Amino acid sequence: MNTQDLIKQQITTHSVVLYMKGTPESPQCGFSAHAIKILNACGVNNLFTIDVLANPEIRQGIKEYSNWPTVPQIYINGNFIGGSDIATEMYENGELQELLQK
Amino acid sequence: MITSEDIKSYIEAALLCELVRIEGDDGHHFNATIVSAEFRGQSTVQQHQLVYRALGDKMKQEIHALSIKTLTPEQWLGKNF
Protein backbone atom coordinates (compact mmCIF):
# COMPACT_ATOMS: atom_id res chain seq x y z
CA MET A 1 0.00 0.00 0.00
CA ASN A 2 1.39 3.43 -0.81
CA THR A 3 1.58 6.18 1.81
CA GLN A 4 -1.42 8.15 0.54
CA ASP A 5 -3.61 5.02 0.63
CA LEU A 6 -2.33 4.17 4.09
CA ILE A 7 -3.22 7.65 5.38
CA LYS A 8 -6.65 7.40 3.81
CA GLN A 9 -7.17 4.07 5.54
CA GLN A 10 -6.02 5.44 8.91
CA ILE A 11 -8.34 8.43 8.86
CA THR A 12 -11.36 6.49 7.65
CA THR A 13 -11.08 3.52 10.02
CA HIS A 14 -10.71 5.70 13.14
CA SER A 15 -13.11 8.48 14.02
CA VAL A 16 -10.51 10.78 15.60
CA VAL A 17 -6.93 10.70 14.34
CA LEU A 18 -3.99 12.87 15.35
CA TYR A 19 -0.72 12.94 13.43
CA MET A 20 1.78 14.23 15.94
CA LYS A 21 5.42 14.41 16.95
CA GLY A 22 5.95 11.90 19.73
CA THR A 23 3.25 10.05 21.65
CA PRO A 24 0.36 11.28 23.81
CA GLU A 25 2.37 10.29 26.89
CA SER A 26 5.50 11.97 25.62
CA PRO A 27 4.83 14.63 22.95
CA GLN A 28 7.98 15.96 21.28
CA CYS A 29 6.66 19.38 20.30
CA GLY A 30 4.61 22.05 22.04
CA PHE A 31 1.98 22.16 19.31
CA SER A 32 1.47 18.39 19.48
CA ALA A 33 1.20 18.56 23.26
CA HIS A 34 -1.38 21.29 22.91
CA ALA A 35 -3.44 19.30 20.41
CA ILE A 36 -3.54 16.35 22.85
CA LYS A 37 -4.59 18.67 25.65
CA ILE A 38 -7.48 20.05 23.63
CA LEU A 39 -8.71 16.65 22.46
CA ASN A 40 -8.57 15.43 26.06
CA ALA A 41 -10.51 18.48 27.20
CA CYS A 42 -13.20 17.55 24.66
CA GLY A 43 -13.46 14.12 26.27
CA VAL A 44 -12.07 12.18 23.30
CA ASN A 45 -11.37 8.64 24.51
CA ASN A 46 -10.92 6.84 21.19
CA LEU A 47 -8.04 8.90 19.87
CA PHE A 48 -5.78 7.20 17.33
CA THR A 49 -2.35 8.82 17.12
CA ILE A 50 0.50 8.39 14.68
CA ASP A 51 3.99 9.49 15.63
CA VAL A 52 5.41 11.07 12.47
CA LEU A 53 8.92 11.11 13.95
CA ALA A 54 8.83 7.30 13.90
CA ASN A 55 7.26 7.24 10.41
CA PRO A 56 9.24 9.48 8.02
CA GLU A 57 7.13 8.47 5.02
CA ILE A 58 3.94 9.47 6.75
CA ARG A 59 5.58 12.67 8.00
CA GLN A 60 6.12 13.70 4.37
CA GLY A 61 2.95 12.06 3.02
CA ILE A 62 0.56 13.71 5.44
CA LYS A 63 1.72 17.16 4.32
CA GLU A 64 0.88 16.26 0.75
CA TYR A 65 -2.37 14.58 1.66
CA SER A 66 -3.84 17.69 3.28
CA ASN A 67 -1.78 20.33 1.48
CA TRP A 68 -0.80 21.48 4.96
CA PRO A 69 2.91 21.92 5.78
CA THR A 70 2.90 21.29 9.52
CA VAL A 71 2.24 18.64 12.14
CA PRO A 72 0.12 18.14 14.28
CA GLN A 73 -2.87 17.47 12.05
CA ILE A 74 -6.28 16.44 13.35
CA TYR A 75 -8.79 14.38 11.36
CA ILE A 76 -12.36 13.75 12.48
CA ASN A 77 -14.54 11.24 10.61
CA GLY A 78 -12.11 11.25 7.70
CA ASN A 79 -11.99 15.05 7.33
CA PHE A 80 -8.97 17.25 7.88
CA ILE A 81 -9.77 19.72 10.65
CA GLY A 82 -6.53 21.62 11.04
CA GLY A 83 -3.55 21.98 13.34
CA SER A 84 -3.36 23.17 16.91
CA ASP A 85 -4.27 26.82 16.18
CA ILE A 86 -7.49 25.90 14.43
CA ALA A 87 -8.35 23.25 17.01
CA THR A 88 -7.89 25.85 19.75
CA GLU A 89 -10.12 28.31 17.95
CA MET A 90 -12.77 25.64 17.35
CA TYR A 91 -12.56 24.48 20.95
CA GLU A 92 -13.05 28.01 22.23
CA ASN A 93 -16.17 28.59 20.14
CA GLY A 94 -17.56 25.09 20.76
CA GLU A 95 -17.35 23.87 17.13
CA LEU A 96 -14.88 21.13 17.95
CA GLN A 97 -17.01 19.62 20.71
CA GLU A 98 -19.99 19.68 18.34
CA LEU A 99 -18.05 17.95 15.58
CA LEU A 100 -16.81 15.28 17.98
CA GLN A 101 -20.32 14.41 19.10
CA LYS A 102 -21.39 13.39 15.61
CA MET B 1 18.28 33.33 10.33
CA ILE B 2 14.78 34.29 9.40
CA THR B 3 13.25 37.35 11.06
CA SER B 4 9.66 38.40 11.64
CA GLU B 5 10.23 41.15 9.06
CA ASP B 6 11.15 38.49 6.46
CA ILE B 7 7.99 36.53 7.15
CA LYS B 8 5.93 39.69 6.92
CA SER B 9 7.39 40.53 3.51
CA TYR B 10 6.87 36.97 2.18
CA ILE B 11 3.21 37.05 3.16
CA GLU B 12 2.63 40.56 1.83
CA ALA B 13 4.23 39.64 -1.49
CA ALA B 14 1.72 36.86 -2.12
CA LEU B 15 -1.42 37.98 -0.35
CA LEU B 16 -3.30 41.28 -0.38
CA CYS B 17 -3.34 42.13 3.32
CA GLU B 18 -4.84 44.91 5.35
CA LEU B 19 -2.57 44.01 8.23
CA VAL B 20 0.26 41.59 8.92
CA ARG B 21 1.66 41.43 12.42
CA ILE B 22 4.44 38.95 13.17
CA GLU B 23 5.79 38.51 16.65
CA GLY B 24 8.79 36.45 17.65
CA ASP B 25 12.49 37.16 17.65
CA ASP B 26 14.20 33.83 18.33
CA GLY B 27 14.40 33.00 14.59
CA HIS B 28 12.29 29.85 14.95
CA HIS B 29 8.98 30.52 16.66
CA PHE B 30 6.57 33.15 15.41
CA ASN B 31 3.03 34.33 15.97
CA ALA B 32 1.21 35.84 13.00
CA THR B 33 -1.95 37.90 12.91
CA ILE B 34 -3.14 38.50 9.36
CA VAL B 35 -6.12 40.50 8.14
CA SER B 36 -7.03 40.09 4.48
CA ALA B 37 -10.08 40.56 2.31
CA GLU B 38 -9.00 37.38 0.49
CA PHE B 39 -10.10 35.39 3.56
CA ARG B 40 -13.75 36.29 2.97
CA GLY B 41 -15.92 33.24 2.36
CA GLN B 42 -13.09 30.82 3.19
CA SER B 43 -12.96 28.32 6.04
CA THR B 44 -10.22 28.74 8.62
CA VAL B 45 -8.32 25.81 7.07
CA GLN B 46 -8.51 27.48 3.66
CA GLN B 47 -7.37 30.81 5.14
CA HIS B 48 -4.34 29.18 6.74
CA GLN B 49 -3.61 27.34 3.48
CA LEU B 50 -3.44 30.73 1.72
CA VAL B 51 -0.85 31.85 4.25
CA TYR B 52 1.14 28.63 3.93
CA ARG B 53 1.04 28.95 0.15
CA ALA B 54 2.43 32.49 0.45
CA LEU B 55 5.31 31.15 2.54
CA GLY B 56 5.93 28.20 0.20
CA ASP B 57 9.22 26.40 0.80
CA LYS B 58 10.18 28.73 3.65
CA MET B 59 7.62 26.91 5.76
CA LYS B 60 9.28 23.58 5.06
CA GLN B 61 12.82 24.64 5.80
CA GLU B 62 13.42 27.84 7.69
CA ILE B 63 10.35 28.37 9.85
CA HIS B 64 10.09 25.87 12.65
CA ALA B 65 6.89 27.00 14.29
CA LEU B 66 4.36 29.54 13.14
CA SER B 67 1.15 30.15 14.98
CA ILE B 68 -1.42 31.75 12.69
CA LYS B 69 -4.49 33.85 13.38
CA THR B 70 -6.43 34.87 10.27
CA LEU B 71 -9.23 37.44 10.15
CA THR B 72 -11.36 39.07 7.48
CA PRO B 73 -11.49 42.90 7.63
CA GLU B 74 -14.97 42.59 9.12
CA GLN B 75 -13.81 40.24 11.88
CA TRP B 76 -10.87 42.51 12.57
CA LEU B 77 -13.11 45.55 13.01
CA GLY B 78 -15.36 43.60 15.35
CA LYS B 79 -12.63 42.43 17.68
CA ASN B 80 -9.79 43.83 19.67
CA PHE B 81 -6.51 42.00 19.42
Side-chain angles (χ1 to χ4, degrees):
Chain A
M1 196 186 297
N2 71 34
T3 309
Q4 296 300 310
D5 288 340
L6 176 63
I7 290 168
K8 185 134 205 182
Q9 192 192 58
Q10 288 170 336
I11 64 169
T12 49
T13 51
H14 301 89
S15 54
V16 189
V17 180
L18 175 68
Y19 293 86
M20 65 180 293
K21 290 181 181 170
T23 62
E25 296 73 32
S26 175
Q28 299 299 309
C29 143
F31 290 92
S32 289
H34 191 67
I36 289 280
K37 207 169 116 187
I38 287 188
L39 291 169
N40 282 339
C42 291
V44 174
N45 52 18
N46 54 349
L47 180 64
F48 183 77
T49 66
I50 295 111
D51 179 2
V52 300
L53 297 178
N55 296 278
E57 282 173 18
I58 289 187
R59 183 180 189 173
Q60 184 53 39
I62 196 67
K63 296 175 182 180
E64 289 158 12
Y65 186 85
S66 55
N67 190 25
W68 192 261
T70 57
V71 171
Q73 295 189 12
I74 299 171
Y75 291 79
I76 299 175
N77 298 326
N79 296 314
F80 175 55
I81 303 305
S84 87
D85 290 337
I86 289 180
T88 305
E89 215 171 287
M90 290 175 73
Y91 175 66
E92 284 168 357
N93 66 25
E95 269 178 75
L96 190 61
Q97 294 87 322
E98 205 176 298
L99 208 57
L100 286 162
Q101 275 163 13
K102 284 181 190 162
Chain B
M1 196 171 75
I2 199 159
T3 66
S4 49
E5 279 305 307
D6 294 333
I7 296 180
K8 187 174 191 293
S9 65
Y10 297 145
I11 293 173
E12 284 174 341
L15 202 64
L16 271 177
C17 299
E18 320 251 324
L19 177 129
V20 179
R21 190 165 67 201
I22 313 287
E23 289 157 344
D25 51 16
D26 70 354
H28 300 287
H29 301 80
F30 300 94
N31 285 307
T33 306
I34 302 151
V35 181
S36 169
E38 293 190 43
F39 295 152
R40 286 187 187 127
Q42 310 262 355
S43 70
T44 312
V45 166
Q46 290 169 330
Q47 293 173 352
H48 287 217
Q49 277 169 334
L50 284 173
V51 177
Y52 287 138
R53 198 173 307 151
L55 292 167
D57 288 341
K58 312 279 186 315
M59 198 59 219
K60 290 178 192 139
Q61 290 144 13
E62 298 167 55
I63 307 168
H64 170 70
L66 176 69
S67 190
I68 299 175
K69 178 95 194 159
T70 51
L71 298 154
T72 62
E74 293 72 25
Q75 290 171 320
W76 172 249
L77 286 174
K79 288 182 183 179
N80 291 311
F81 281 95

